[in-house]
Amino acid sequence: MKHQPPPSSSSSSQSLAPPQAESVDIPLHTIGFVFEVFSPQKVSGRLLVTEKCCQPFKVLHGGVSALIAESLASLGAYLACGGKRVAGIHVSINHIKHADLGDVIFAEATPLNVGRTIQVWEVRMWKTDHSNSKAKCLVSSSRVSLVSNMSAPEQTNNALETLAKYAKL
């Protein structure tokens, strides 16, 4: 079954210029992730599946999918609560289809619930179907629960400044 990503939301939830992954998430930068949308309503981007993120069988490693899911949900939750510290407390991921070396993956995180102390985000990843460039195949679907609005250690005070350069808050 083919799944289509949800339509883009209104421009009010779109981000300003997306950040370079290096400036907001070093592990994502290391594997080559590129942000496209960066806001409290949606965080998305893409990844070219390279040897850095494959298992020995030349398919996307499930742990990389989980890394992307938790990173995107955490960044979105951080923006959604105005720069207060967040911490993931549960990640559930279903690996539906494999992505091969050379595939391009699109990932999108959207909030299901933004509560005062708990946030729940859905993260979906698709790859383009090689036989039809307009069709997308769902690769994985994740749900990430986070504790939010925690006090942040002093050494993280500049994190909101860095992220605010890229996000529409």
Side-chain angles (χ1 to χ4, degrees):
M1 178 177 192
K2 303 285 185 210
H3 296 272
Q4 297 294 328
S8 295
S9 54
S10 69
S11 61
S12 65
S13 69
Q14 294 296 316
S15 66
L16 301 173
Q20 296 295 314
E22 175 181 29
S23 62
V24 295
D25 194 299
I26 291 172
L28 287 183
H29 170 71
T30 301
I31 61 170
F33 190 85
V34 177
F35 287 100
E36 292 181 354
V37 175
F38 197 71
S39 76
Q41 296 82 27
K42 178 174 30 175
V43 178
S44 68
R46 65 188 184 292
L47 172 74
L48 172 64
V49 179
T50 65
E51 299 257 348
K52 285 183 181 180
C53 49
C54 280
Q55 41 173 269
F57 305 107
K58 306 296 183 204
V59 297
L60 182 64
H61 194 290
V64 171
S65 297
L67 167 70
I68 293 169
E70 186 162 4
S71 294
L72 268 57
S74 295
L75 288 166
Y78 181 81
L79 294 171
C81 68
K84 299 286 187 186
R85 183 174 168 215
V86 298
I89 56 173
H90 185 78
V91 177
S92 173
I93 186 166
N94 293 297
H95 303 285
I96 299 162
K97 297 251 185 212
H98 69 276
D100 296 312
L101 180 66
D103 284 340
V104 175
I105 299 300
F106 174 76
E108 180 179 87
T110 55
L112 297 174
N113 181 66
V114 178
R116 190 173 53 81
T117 57
I118 298 288
Q119 293 190 39
V120 180
W121 285 67
E122 179 178 44
V123 184
R124 298 170 96 193
M125 290 186 244
W126 297 270
K127 68 176 178 176
T128 301
D129 184 335
H130 294 297
S131 63
N132 178 356
S133 63
K134 293 183 181 178
K136 308 281 186 205
C137 289
L138 189 63
V139 172
S140 69
S141 178
S142 308
R143 185 133 324 161
V144 182
S145 301
L146 306 105
V147 175
S148 59
N149 290 310
M150 301 167 56
S151 58
E154 194 171 306
Q155 68 267 27
T156 64
N157 286 344
N158 67 345
L160 182 58
E161 291 174 19
T162 300
L163 295 176
K165 287 190 274 186
Y166 306 105
K168 183 172 185 177
L169 298 174

